[in-house]
Amino acid sequence: MDKFVIRGGNPLLGTVRISGAKNSALPCMAAAILTEDEVTLENIPQVRDIETERRLLVSMGAEVELGYGRAQHRTKICCRTLSDPEAKYEIVKTMRASSLVLGPLIARCGMARVAMPGGCAIGGRPIDLHIKGLEKMGAVITQEHGYLEARAERLRGAHLVFDKITVTGTEDLLMAAVLADGETLMENCAREPEVTDLAALLNAMGARIEGAGTSTIRVHGVTSLHGARYRINPDRIEAGTFLIAGAITGGDLIVANCEPDHLGALIAKLEELGVRVDHLGPDSVRVRSEGHLRAADISTEEYPGFPTDMQAQYMALATQAEGVSQIKENIFENRFMHVQELVRMGANIKVDGKVATVRGATRLSSAAVMCSDLRASASLVLAALIADGESILDRVYHMDRGYERIEEKLRGVGAQIRRLGNIFTPRDEESAVHSD
Ligand code: EPZ
């Protein structure tokens, strides 16, 4: 198991470049299932989940090139022959976003067999809303032996209203609707930029989608889609993580290659704390702090509200703010796994149900801590960057799922961090682990 060794105390100074968004790349790679032509995606992040998605598509019969040369970060996917439209459990259990192949497989092949993703560290992660929407579009879905089996001659357009806002549910059903017979009206959709990214790719492939990025999406079904070349958006969660890294270390950091418009809720909260944030142009933001932060509450909401994927990182920062910060997690039922590890480093945090109460500012001391999920890992890295002494973070493979070469990027702006074990490179055949 890889570990990070981090010595705290260095302010982050300089410029860090953000990679492509993992949570855009995953649905966009699945969208290639919808056509026999080649789909080329640029700005793909070099992270473990993308490698997992490559293995998943190849296991179904797709040809997938994944290049990470200096100028590349590109994947070319051709699903001309999908000999085995099945997402097997040994892959799905390592990445529950594998369920994103469900809609496109039914739309393209008329059938799909997908392992139920099961839960993960942060919650039960059901996909009942995906199933409900597909059944309303005419799919016949049975569940047994831990697998979903779905069949449909041809999906038909329908009026779908999501009981809850679901990001991958919106994406899965969007990909089902583009080849359906007739029009699909989807309401109470997720508005995340990753949904907008996927819709832009699908329209470039010949789909007819209106309203992506709003809560109401209208899809006019077409009979086939063609290939396309598309550039994935920057990762707003990686960008947000580095903004907090610059603030928590009292640094002066430029976060480049990002999309400031996707960071509104976080930037507003940072300014409320007393952090200085300046937009330097269309794709970069400068963050500065000399400390003296003031406590501020957050409540996680669907986009454009404060993102749940930034909650753990914000909590690390809140330990350095004078006063009491109330952090309410509304999206997932178990997303406070980082709390006990932060407390072991000296933080004063009490959890009561959905609310974590952080009392600051507290000096953090280095410790040996355990990563439990992708964003909890980021929270522990941020805390270690300011803790006195040397912290050891275990199970950093969680981090590799969603942050590209994070230790190199942090070292590049002055952090004292090194990895014990092997750096992640594509084609790693890692032991299957449950993941969020
Ligand atoms: C996506 O997960 C992201 N993953 C998550 O990012 C992110 O935390 C989440 O959206 C919320 O923004 C990807 O895009 C690959 P949801 P998703 O469906 O789609 C409930 C990360 O850190 N729900 O929007 O799985 C669900 O239990 C990851 O990069 C149902 O009840 O999340 C949750 O409480 C972690 N039934 C809420 O909705 C369903 O059928 C929102 O979940 C689907 C979801």
Side-chain angles (χ1 to χ4, degrees), residues 22-23 26 96-97 100 122 125-130 164-169 171 192 308-309 331-333 335 374-375 436:
K22 158 180 91 81
N23 290 349
L26 293 173
R96 52 173 317 287
L100 276 167
I122 65 176
R125 313 298 295 280
I127 58 169
D128 57 309
L129 301 180
H130 302 229
K164 286 178 80 170
I165 294 173
T166 161
V167 175
T168 51
E171 293 163 346
E192 271 68 5
T308 175
D309 290 352
I331 307 295
F332 290 111
E333 63 268 30
R335 204 167 199 175
L374 174 52
R375 306 306 174 182
D436 45 71

PDB file of all heavy atoms in Angstrom, residues 22-23 26 96-97 100 122 125-130 164-169 171 192 308-309 331-333 335 374-375 436, ligand 1:
ATOM      1  N   LYS A  22     -12.002  14.140 -13.882  1.00  0.00           N
ATOM      2  CA  LYS A  22     -12.271  12.688 -13.827  1.00  0.00           C
ATOM      3  C   LYS A  22     -13.770  12.437 -14.025  1.00  0.00           C
ATOM      4  O   LYS A  22     -14.166  11.550 -14.780  1.00  0.00           O
ATOM      5  CB  LYS A  22     -11.832  12.154 -12.474  1.00  0.00           C
ATOM      6  CG  LYS A  22     -12.480  10.842 -12.053  1.00  0.00           C
ATOM      7  CD  LYS A  22     -12.014  10.368 -10.714  1.00  0.00           C
ATOM      8  CE  LYS A  22     -12.872  10.849  -9.569  1.00  0.00           C
ATOM      9  NZ  LYS A  22     -14.115  10.082  -9.318  1.00  0.00           N
ATOM     10  N   ASN A  23     -14.611  13.243 -13.360  1.00  0.00           N
ATOM     11  CA  ASN A  23     -16.047  12.972 -13.385  1.00  0.00           C
ATOM     12  C   ASN A  23     -16.747  13.447 -14.652  1.00  0.00           C
ATOM     13  O   ASN A  23     -17.937  13.213 -14.819  1.00  0.00           O
ATOM     14  CB  ASN A  23     -16.719  13.556 -12.138  1.00  0.00           C
ATOM     15  CG  ASN A  23     -16.330  12.788 -10.892  1.00  0.00           C
ATOM     16  OD1 ASN A  23     -15.725  11.716 -10.985  1.00  0.00           O
ATOM     17  ND2 ASN A  23     -16.633  13.330  -9.725  1.00  0.00           N
ATOM     18  N   LEU A  26     -15.206  10.103 -17.202  1.00  0.00           N
ATOM     19  CA  LEU A  26     -15.842   8.788 -17.037  1.00  0.00           C
ATOM     20  C   LEU A  26     -17.139   8.663 -17.845  1.00  0.00           C
ATOM     21  O   LEU A  26     -17.271   7.713 -18.632  1.00  0.00           O
ATOM     22  CB  LEU A  26     -16.077   8.496 -15.553  1.00  0.00           C
ATOM     23  CG  LEU A  26     -14.790   8.304 -14.736  1.00  0.00           C
ATOM     24  CD1 LEU A  26     -15.101   8.201 -13.241  1.00  0.00           C
ATOM     25  CD2 LEU A  26     -14.010   7.080 -15.196  1.00  0.00           C
ATOM     26  N   ARG A  96     -17.604   2.416  -8.625  1.00  0.00           N
ATOM     27  CA  ARG A  96     -19.049   2.308  -8.777  1.00  0.00           C
ATOM     28  C   ARG A  96     -19.568   3.131  -9.952  1.00  0.00           C
ATOM     29  O   ARG A  96     -20.658   2.898 -10.446  1.00  0.00           O
ATOM     30  CB  ARG A  96     -19.753   2.676  -7.500  1.00  0.00           C
ATOM     31  CG  ARG A  96     -19.362   3.994  -6.916  1.00  0.00           C
ATOM     32  CD  ARG A  96     -20.239   4.298  -5.774  1.00  0.00           C
ATOM     33  NE  ARG A  96     -21.610   3.979  -6.070  1.00  0.00           N
ATOM     34  CZ  ARG A  96     -22.383   4.686  -6.899  1.00  0.00           C
ATOM     35  NH1 ARG A  96     -21.866   5.716  -7.516  1.00  0.00           N
ATOM     36  NH2 ARG A  96     -23.633   4.335  -7.099  1.00  0.00           N
ATOM     37  N   ALA A  97     -18.750   4.063 -10.461  1.00  0.00           N
ATOM     38  CA  ALA A  97     -19.205   4.843 -11.632  1.00  0.00           C
ATOM     39  C   ALA A  97     -19.277   3.963 -12.875  1.00  0.00           C
ATOM     40  O   ALA A  97     -19.712   4.395 -13.935  1.00  0.00           O
ATOM     41  CB  ALA A  97     -18.237   5.994 -11.872  1.00  0.00           C
ATOM     42  N   LEU A 100     -22.276   3.709 -15.134  1.00  0.00           N
ATOM     43  CA  LEU A 100     -22.544   4.649 -16.231  1.00  0.00           C
ATOM     44  C   LEU A 100     -22.616   3.945 -17.590  1.00  0.00           C
ATOM     45  O   LEU A 100     -23.062   4.536 -18.570  1.00  0.00           O
ATOM     46  CB  LEU A 100     -21.441   5.706 -16.279  1.00  0.00           C
ATOM     47  CG  LEU A 100     -21.622   6.898 -15.336  1.00  0.00           C
ATOM     48  CD1 LEU A 100     -20.341   7.697 -15.233  1.00  0.00           C
ATOM     49  CD2 LEU A 100     -22.768   7.769 -15.811  1.00  0.00           C
ATOM     50  N   ILE A 122     -18.437   6.157   1.542  1.00  0.00           N
ATOM     51  CA  ILE A 122     -19.198   7.380   1.874  1.00  0.00           C
ATOM     52  C   ILE A 122     -20.698   7.157   1.900  1.00  0.00           C
ATOM     53  O   ILE A 122     -21.450   8.062   2.254  1.00  0.00           O
ATOM     54  CB  ILE A 122     -18.835   8.547   0.926  1.00  0.00           C
ATOM     55  CG1 ILE A 122     -19.247   8.245  -0.514  1.00  0.00           C
ATOM     56  CG2 ILE A 122     -17.366   8.881   1.010  1.00  0.00           C
ATOM     57  CD1 ILE A 122     -18.994   9.416  -1.465  1.00  0.00           C
ATOM     58  N   ARG A 125     -24.949   4.425  -1.895  1.00  0.00           N
ATOM     59  CA  ARG A 125     -24.778   4.668  -3.328  1.00  0.00           C
ATOM     60  C   ARG A 125     -25.746   3.823  -4.185  1.00  0.00           C
ATOM     61  O   ARG A 125     -25.326   3.089  -5.068  1.00  0.00           O
ATOM     62  CB  ARG A 125     -23.337   4.435  -3.764  1.00  0.00           C
ATOM     63  CG  ARG A 125     -22.287   5.065  -2.880  1.00  0.00           C
ATOM     64  CD  ARG A 125     -22.349   6.583  -2.792  1.00  0.00           C
ATOM     65  NE  ARG A 125     -22.075   7.263  -4.040  1.00  0.00           N
ATOM     66  CZ  ARG A 125     -20.869   7.478  -4.514  1.00  0.00           C
ATOM     67  NH1 ARG A 125     -19.828   7.041  -3.877  1.00  0.00           N
ATOM     68  NH2 ARG A 125     -20.697   8.101  -5.659  1.00  0.00           N
ATOM     69  N   PRO A 126     -27.059   3.867  -3.920  1.00  0.00           N
ATOM     70  CA  PRO A 126     -28.014   3.101  -4.726  1.00  0.00           C
ATOM     71  C   PRO A 126     -28.091   3.628  -6.157  1.00  0.00           C
ATOM     72  O   PRO A 126     -27.654   4.754  -6.429  1.00  0.00           O
ATOM     73  CB  PRO A 126     -29.333   3.334  -4.002  1.00  0.00           C
ATOM     74  CG  PRO A 126     -29.173   4.646  -3.332  1.00  0.00           C
ATOM     75  CD  PRO A 126     -27.735   4.720  -2.910  1.00  0.00           C
ATOM     76  N   ILE A 127     -28.630   2.824  -7.070  1.00  0.00           N
ATOM     77  CA  ILE A 127     -28.872   3.307  -8.437  1.00  0.00           C
ATOM     78  C   ILE A 127     -30.339   3.076  -8.814  1.00  0.00           C
ATOM     79  O   ILE A 127     -30.679   2.904  -9.993  1.00  0.00           O
ATOM     80  CB  ILE A 127     -27.922   2.646  -9.466  1.00  0.00           C
ATOM     81  CG1 ILE A 127     -28.055   1.122  -9.458  1.00  0.00           C
ATOM     82  CG2 ILE A 127     -26.488   3.060  -9.264  1.00  0.00           C
ATOM     83  CD1 ILE A 127     -27.329   0.467 -10.641  1.00  0.00           C
ATOM     84  N   ASP A 128     -31.210   3.110  -7.808  1.00  0.00           N
ATOM     85  CA  ASP A 128     -32.642   2.889  -8.056  1.00  0.00           C
ATOM     86  C   ASP A 128     -33.229   3.911  -9.026  1.00  0.00           C
ATOM     87  O   ASP A 128     -34.141   3.579  -9.818  1.00  0.00           O
ATOM     88  CB  ASP A 128     -33.417   2.899  -6.737  1.00  0.00           C
ATOM     89  CG  ASP A 128     -33.202   4.198  -5.969  1.00  0.00           C
ATOM     90  OD1 ASP A 128     -32.032   4.592  -5.769  1.00  0.00           O
ATOM     91  OD2 ASP A 128     -34.200   4.830  -5.586  1.00  0.00           O
ATOM     92  N   LEU A 129     -32.715   5.139  -9.001  1.00  0.00           N
ATOM     93  CA  LEU A 129     -33.276   6.171  -9.896  1.00  0.00           C
ATOM     94  C   LEU A 129     -32.846   5.942 -11.340  1.00  0.00           C
ATOM     95  O   LEU A 129     -33.584   6.244 -12.281  1.00  0.00           O
ATOM     96  CB  LEU A 129     -32.859   7.565  -9.407  1.00  0.00           C
ATOM     97  CG  LEU A 129     -33.306   7.905  -7.980  1.00  0.00           C
ATOM     98  CD1 LEU A 129     -32.844   9.298  -7.590  1.00  0.00           C
ATOM     99  CD2 LEU A 129     -34.821   7.763  -7.813  1.00  0.00           C
ATOM    100  N   HIS A 130     -31.650   5.348 -11.516  1.00  0.00           N
ATOM    101  CA  HIS A 130     -31.229   4.981 -12.884  1.00  0.00           C
ATOM    102  C   HIS A 130     -32.211   3.928 -13.424  1.00  0.00           C
ATOM    103  O   HIS A 130     -32.705   4.024 -14.547  1.00  0.00           O
ATOM    104  CB  HIS A 130     -29.832   4.343 -12.883  1.00  0.00           C
ATOM    105  CG  HIS A 130     -28.717   5.161 -12.322  1.00  0.00           C
ATOM    106  ND1 HIS A 130     -27.521   5.334 -12.968  1.00  0.00           N
ATOM    107  CD2 HIS A 130     -28.590   5.821 -11.154  1.00  0.00           C
ATOM    108  CE1 HIS A 130     -26.705   6.081 -12.231  1.00  0.00           C
ATOM    109  NE2 HIS A 130     -27.328   6.377 -11.123  1.00  0.00           N
ATOM    110  N   LYS A 164     -34.788  12.401  -6.731  1.00  0.00           N
ATOM    111  CA  LYS A 164     -33.678  13.114  -6.084  1.00  0.00           C
ATOM    112  C   LYS A 164     -32.726  13.546  -7.194  1.00  0.00           C
ATOM    113  O   LYS A 164     -32.656  12.894  -8.240  1.00  0.00           O
ATOM    114  CB  LYS A 164     -32.876  12.188  -5.135  1.00  0.00           C
ATOM    115  CG  LYS A 164     -33.561  11.861  -3.846  1.00  0.00           C
ATOM    116  CD  LYS A 164     -32.705  10.902  -3.018  1.00  0.00           C
ATOM    117  CE  LYS A 164     -31.592  11.661  -2.296  1.00  0.00           C
ATOM    118  NZ  LYS A 164     -30.900  10.786  -1.309  1.00  0.00           N
ATOM    119  N   ILE A 165     -31.987  14.589  -6.964  1.00  0.00           N
ATOM    120  CA  ILE A 165     -31.005  15.019  -7.973  1.00  0.00           C
ATOM    121  C   ILE A 165     -29.824  14.060  -7.939  1.00  0.00           C
ATOM    122  O   ILE A 165     -29.205  13.852  -6.882  1.00  0.00           O
ATOM    123  CB  ILE A 165     -30.549  16.467  -7.697  1.00  0.00           C
ATOM    124  CG1 ILE A 165     -31.738  17.430  -7.889  1.00  0.00           C
ATOM    125  CG2 ILE A 165     -29.407  16.852  -8.625  1.00  0.00           C
ATOM    126  CD1 ILE A 165     -31.453  18.851  -7.473  1.00  0.00           C
ATOM    127  N   THR A 166     -29.541  13.430  -9.071  1.00  0.00           N
ATOM    128  CA  THR A 166     -28.444  12.466  -9.149  1.00  0.00           C
ATOM    129  C   THR A 166     -27.583  12.787 -10.365  1.00  0.00           C
ATOM    130  O   THR A 166     -28.096  12.867 -11.491  1.00  0.00           O
ATOM    131  CB  THR A 166     -28.960  11.011  -9.233  1.00  0.00           C
ATOM    132  OG1 THR A 166     -27.933  10.156  -9.746  1.00  0.00           O
ATOM    133  CG2 THR A 166     -30.205  10.869 -10.080  1.00  0.00           C
ATOM    134  N   VAL A 167     -26.284  12.923 -10.155  1.00  0.00           N
ATOM    135  CA  VAL A 167     -25.371  13.300 -11.242  1.00  0.00           C
ATOM    136  C   VAL A 167     -25.246  12.166 -12.252  1.00  0.00           C
ATOM    137  O   VAL A 167     -25.581  12.319 -13.435  1.00  0.00           O
ATOM    138  CB  VAL A 167     -23.987  13.693 -10.687  1.00  0.00           C
ATOM    139  CG1 VAL A 167     -23.007  13.973 -11.818  1.00  0.00           C
ATOM    140  CG2 VAL A 167     -24.110  14.911  -9.770  1.00  0.00           C
ATOM    141  N   THR A 168     -24.805  10.987 -11.795  1.00  0.00           N
ATOM    142  CA  THR A 168     -24.630   9.901 -12.771  1.00  0.00           C
ATOM    143  C   THR A 168     -25.982   9.366 -13.232  1.00  0.00           C
ATOM    144  O   THR A 168     -26.087   8.819 -14.342  1.00  0.00           O
ATOM    145  CB  THR A 168     -23.794   8.745 -12.197  1.00  0.00           C
ATOM    146  OG1 THR A 168     -24.335   8.365 -10.938  1.00  0.00           O
ATOM    147  CG2 THR A 168     -22.334   9.123 -12.061  1.00  0.00           C
ATOM    148  N   GLY A 169     -27.033   9.559 -12.420  1.00  0.00           N
ATOM    149  CA  GLY A 169     -28.374   9.165 -12.877  1.00  0.00           C
ATOM    150  C   GLY A 169     -28.787  10.013 -14.067  1.00  0.00           C
ATOM    151  O   GLY A 169     -29.270   9.490 -15.093  1.00  0.00           O
ATOM    152  N   GLU A 171     -26.726  11.521 -16.098  1.00  0.00           N
ATOM    153  CA  GLU A 171     -25.828  11.187 -17.215  1.00  0.00           C
ATOM    154  C   GLU A 171     -26.212   9.859 -17.867  1.00  0.00           C
ATOM    155  O   GLU A 171     -26.263   9.731 -19.099  1.00  0.00           O
ATOM    156  CB  GLU A 171     -24.385  11.140 -16.704  1.00  0.00           C
ATOM    157  CG  GLU A 171     -23.856  12.505 -16.275  1.00  0.00           C
ATOM    158  CD  GLU A 171     -22.613  12.433 -15.413  1.00  0.00           C
ATOM    159  OE1 GLU A 171     -22.258  11.334 -14.901  1.00  0.00           O
ATOM    160  OE2 GLU A 171     -21.968  13.491 -15.241  1.00  0.00           O
ATOM    161  N   GLU A 192     -24.615  19.843 -12.638  1.00  0.00           N
ATOM    162  CA  GLU A 192     -23.145  19.856 -12.546  1.00  0.00           C
ATOM    163  C   GLU A 192     -22.492  20.091 -13.909  1.00  0.00           C
ATOM    164  O   GLU A 192     -22.992  19.603 -14.939  1.00  0.00           O
ATOM    165  CB  GLU A 192     -22.666  18.532 -11.947  1.00  0.00           C
ATOM    166  CG  GLU A 192     -22.560  18.486 -10.441  1.00  0.00           C
ATOM    167  CD  GLU A 192     -23.916  18.554  -9.701  1.00  0.00           C
ATOM    168  OE1 GLU A 192     -24.974  18.553 -10.374  1.00  0.00           O
ATOM    169  OE2 GLU A 192     -23.901  18.613  -8.474  1.00  0.00           O
ATOM    170  N   THR A 308     -20.314  18.714  -2.285  1.00  0.00           N
ATOM    171  CA  THR A 308     -19.989  17.693  -1.287  1.00  0.00           C
ATOM    172  C   THR A 308     -18.548  17.207  -1.475  1.00  0.00           C
ATOM    173  O   THR A 308     -17.886  16.856  -0.496  1.00  0.00           O
ATOM    174  CB  THR A 308     -20.974  16.505  -1.367  1.00  0.00           C
ATOM    175  OG1 THR A 308     -20.553  15.482  -0.461  1.00  0.00           O
ATOM    176  CG2 THR A 308     -21.054  15.909  -2.757  1.00  0.00           C
ATOM    177  N   ASP A 309     -18.055  17.230  -2.710  1.00  0.00           N
ATOM    178  CA  ASP A 309     -16.695  16.738  -2.974  1.00  0.00           C
ATOM    179  C   ASP A 309     -15.623  17.680  -2.457  1.00  0.00           C
ATOM    180  O   ASP A 309     -14.440  17.350  -2.508  1.00  0.00           O
ATOM    181  CB  ASP A 309     -16.478  16.521  -4.476  1.00  0.00           C
ATOM    182  CG  ASP A 309     -17.287  15.346  -4.986  1.00  0.00           C
ATOM    183  OD1 ASP A 309     -17.881  14.636  -4.164  1.00  0.00           O
ATOM    184  OD2 ASP A 309     -17.355  15.175  -6.218  1.00  0.00           O
ATOM    185  N   ILE A 331     -25.597  15.462   1.208  1.00  0.00           N
ATOM    186  CA  ILE A 331     -25.668  14.581   0.040  1.00  0.00           C
ATOM    187  C   ILE A 331     -25.427  13.122   0.389  1.00  0.00           C
ATOM    188  O   ILE A 331     -26.188  12.240  -0.023  1.00  0.00           O
ATOM    189  CB  ILE A 331     -24.655  15.031  -1.046  1.00  0.00           C
ATOM    190  CG1 ILE A 331     -24.840  16.517  -1.370  1.00  0.00           C
ATOM    191  CG2 ILE A 331     -24.774  14.161  -2.292  1.00  0.00           C
ATOM    192  CD1 ILE A 331     -26.165  16.880  -2.007  1.00  0.00           C
ATOM    193  N   PHE A 332     -24.382  12.829   1.161  1.00  0.00           N
ATOM    194  CA  PHE A 332     -24.053  11.431   1.486  1.00  0.00           C
ATOM    195  C   PHE A 332     -24.175  11.199   2.989  1.00  0.00           C
ATOM    196  O   PHE A 332     -23.925  12.097   3.798  1.00  0.00           O
ATOM    197  CB  PHE A 332     -22.632  11.088   1.007  1.00  0.00           C
ATOM    198  CG  PHE A 332     -22.522  11.017  -0.488  1.00  0.00           C
ATOM    199  CD1 PHE A 332     -21.815  11.965  -1.194  1.00  0.00           C
ATOM    200  CD2 PHE A 332     -23.173  10.010  -1.194  1.00  0.00           C
ATOM    201  CE1 PHE A 332     -21.738  11.914  -2.581  1.00  0.00           C
ATOM    202  CE2 PHE A 332     -23.103   9.957  -2.581  1.00  0.00           C
ATOM    203  CZ  PHE A 332     -22.383  10.908  -3.265  1.00  0.00           C
ATOM    204  N   GLU A 333     -24.529   9.951   3.318  1.00  0.00           N
ATOM    205  CA  GLU A 333     -24.838   9.646   4.723  1.00  0.00           C
ATOM    206  C   GLU A 333     -23.614   9.316   5.566  1.00  0.00           C
ATOM    207  O   GLU A 333     -23.685   9.246   6.764  1.00  0.00           O
ATOM    208  CB  GLU A 333     -25.852   8.503   4.812  1.00  0.00           C
ATOM    209  CG  GLU A 333     -25.411   7.155   4.256  1.00  0.00           C
ATOM    210  CD  GLU A 333     -25.789   6.966   2.802  1.00  0.00           C
ATOM    211  OE1 GLU A 333     -25.865   7.982   2.066  1.00  0.00           O
ATOM    212  OE2 GLU A 333     -25.991   5.815   2.372  1.00  0.00           O
ATOM    213  N   ARG A 335     -20.068  10.729   5.075  1.00  0.00           N
ATOM    214  CA  ARG A 335     -18.932  11.410   4.461  1.00  0.00           C
ATOM    215  C   ARG A 335     -18.131  12.217   5.490  1.00  0.00           C
ATOM    216  O   ARG A 335     -17.627  13.288   5.187  1.00  0.00           O
ATOM    217  CB  ARG A 335     -19.392  12.291   3.294  1.00  0.00           C
ATOM    218  CG  ARG A 335     -18.240  12.504   2.318  1.00  0.00           C
ATOM    219  CD  ARG A 335     -18.636  13.092   0.995  1.00  0.00           C
ATOM    220  NE  ARG A 335     -17.578  12.836   0.034  1.00  0.00           N
ATOM    221  CZ  ARG A 335     -17.642  13.142  -1.262  1.00  0.00           C
ATOM    222  NH1 ARG A 335     -18.731  13.718  -1.740  1.00  0.00           N
ATOM    223  NH2 ARG A 335     -16.654  12.873  -2.078  1.00  0.00           N
ATOM    224  N   LEU A 374     -11.583   8.972  -1.498  1.00  0.00           N
ATOM    225  CA  LEU A 374     -10.881   9.922  -2.365  1.00  0.00           C
ATOM    226  C   LEU A 374     -10.747  11.309  -1.741  1.00  0.00           C
ATOM    227  O   LEU A 374      -9.643  11.856  -1.614  1.00  0.00           O
ATOM    228  CB  LEU A 374     -11.641   9.991  -3.705  1.00  0.00           C
ATOM    229  CG  LEU A 374     -11.206  10.996  -4.744  1.00  0.00           C
ATOM    230  CD1 LEU A 374      -9.720  10.888  -5.026  1.00  0.00           C
ATOM    231  CD2 LEU A 374     -12.017  10.799  -6.004  1.00  0.00           C
ATOM    232  N   ARG A 375     -11.810  11.917  -1.293  1.00  0.00           N
ATOM    233  CA  ARG A 375     -11.731  13.307  -0.835  1.00  0.00           C
ATOM    234  C   ARG A 375     -11.282  13.391   0.625  1.00  0.00           C
ATOM    235  O   ARG A 375     -10.669  14.389   1.018  1.00  0.00           O
ATOM    236  CB  ARG A 375     -13.063  14.016  -1.031  1.00  0.00           C
ATOM    237  CG  ARG A 375     -13.603  13.935  -2.443  1.00  0.00           C
ATOM    238  CD  ARG A 375     -12.616  14.410  -3.513  1.00  0.00           C
ATOM    239  NE  ARG A 375     -13.159  14.156  -4.848  1.00  0.00           N
ATOM    240  CZ  ARG A 375     -12.545  14.413  -5.985  1.00  0.00           C
ATOM    241  NH1 ARG A 375     -11.349  14.931  -5.949  1.00  0.00           N
ATOM    242  NH2 ARG A 375     -13.090  14.138  -7.143  1.00  0.00           N
ATOM    243  N   ASP A 436     -15.178   4.714  -3.522  1.00  0.00           N
ATOM    244  CA  ASP A 436     -16.397   5.521  -3.643  1.00  0.00           C
ATOM    245  C   ASP A 436     -16.621   5.980  -5.091  1.00  0.00           C
ATOM    246  O   ASP A 436     -15.745   5.830  -5.899  1.00  0.00           O
ATOM    247  CB  ASP A 436     -16.279   6.767  -2.743  1.00  0.00           C
ATOM    248  CG  ASP A 436     -14.914   7.395  -2.891  1.00  0.00           C
ATOM    249  OD1 ASP A 436     -14.654   7.972  -3.967  1.00  0.00           O
ATOM    250  OD2 ASP A 436     -14.094   7.244  -1.977  1.00  0.00           O
TER     251      ASP A 436
HETATM  252  C1  EPZ B   1     -21.338  11.776  -8.506  1.00  0.00           C
HETATM  253  O1  EPZ B   1     -21.641  10.578  -7.841  1.00  0.00           O
HETATM  254  C2  EPZ B   1     -19.827  11.930  -8.407  1.00  0.00           C
HETATM  255  N1  EPZ B   1     -19.169  10.799  -9.066  1.00  0.00           N
HETATM  256  C3  EPZ B   1     -19.422  11.986  -6.941  1.00  0.00           C
HETATM  257  O2  EPZ B   1     -18.022  12.222  -6.903  1.00  0.00           O
HETATM  258  C4  EPZ B   1     -20.128  13.166  -6.290  1.00  0.00           C
HETATM  259  O3  EPZ B   1     -19.815  13.184  -4.910  1.00  0.00           O
HETATM  260  C5  EPZ B   1     -21.648  13.020  -6.471  1.00  0.00           C
HETATM  261  O4  EPZ B   1     -21.967  12.894  -7.867  1.00  0.00           O
HETATM  262  C6  EPZ B   1     -22.414  14.215  -5.918  1.00  0.00           C
HETATM  263  O5  EPZ B   1     -21.975  15.382  -6.542  1.00  0.00           O
HETATM  264  C7  EPZ B   1     -19.086  10.788 -10.417  1.00  0.00           C
HETATM  265  O6  EPZ B   1     -19.556  11.689 -11.096  1.00  0.00           O
HETATM  266  C8  EPZ B   1     -18.392   9.614 -11.038  1.00  0.00           C
HETATM  267  P1  EPZ B   1     -25.433  11.125  -6.998  1.00  0.00           P
HETATM  268  P2  EPZ B   1     -23.121   9.945  -7.994  1.00  0.00           P
HETATM  269  O7  EPZ B   1     -26.131  10.082  -7.801  1.00  0.00           O
HETATM  270  O8  EPZ B   1     -23.691  10.302  -9.297  1.00  0.00           O
HETATM  271  C9  EPZ B   1     -28.637   9.368  -4.012  1.00  0.00           C
HETATM  272  C10 EPZ B   1     -15.823  11.958  -6.185  1.00  0.00           C
HETATM  273  O9  EPZ B   1     -15.378  12.259  -5.083  1.00  0.00           O
HETATM  274  N2  EPZ B   1     -29.053   8.495  -5.124  1.00  0.00           N
HETATM  275  O10 EPZ B   1     -25.506  12.533  -7.462  1.00  0.00           O
HETATM  276  O11 EPZ B   1     -23.022   8.515  -7.615  1.00  0.00           O
HETATM  277  C11 EPZ B   1     -27.230   9.045  -3.523  1.00  0.00           C
HETATM  278  O12 EPZ B   1     -27.255   7.999  -2.568  1.00  0.00           O
HETATM  279  C12 EPZ B   1     -17.157  11.252  -6.287  1.00  0.00           C
HETATM  280  O13 EPZ B   1     -15.310  12.261  -7.288  1.00  0.00           O
HETATM  281  C13 EPZ B   1     -30.137   7.666  -4.943  1.00  0.00           C
HETATM  282  O14 EPZ B   1     -30.755   7.633  -3.881  1.00  0.00           O
HETATM  283  O15 EPZ B   1     -23.912  10.704  -6.868  1.00  0.00           O
HETATM  284  C14 EPZ B   1     -26.795  10.361  -2.920  1.00  0.00           C
HETATM  285  O16 EPZ B   1     -27.295  10.448  -1.593  1.00  0.00           O
HETATM  286  C15 EPZ B   1     -17.631  10.753  -4.940  1.00  0.00           C
HETATM  287  N3  EPZ B   1     -30.527   6.852  -5.979  1.00  0.00           N
HETATM  288  C16 EPZ B   1     -27.488  11.408  -3.785  1.00  0.00           C
HETATM  289  O17 EPZ B   1     -28.540  10.708  -4.477  1.00  0.00           O
HETATM  290  C17 EPZ B   1     -29.874   6.851  -7.189  1.00  0.00           C
HETATM  291  O18 EPZ B   1     -30.277   6.103  -8.109  1.00  0.00           O
HETATM  292  C18 EPZ B   1     -26.581  12.044  -4.831  1.00  0.00           C
HETATM  293  O19 EPZ B   1     -25.917  10.989  -5.491  1.00  0.00           O
HETATM  294  C19 EPZ B   1     -28.761   7.702  -7.346  1.00  0.00           C
HETATM  295  C20 EPZ B   1     -28.367   8.525  -6.309  1.00  0.00           C
END
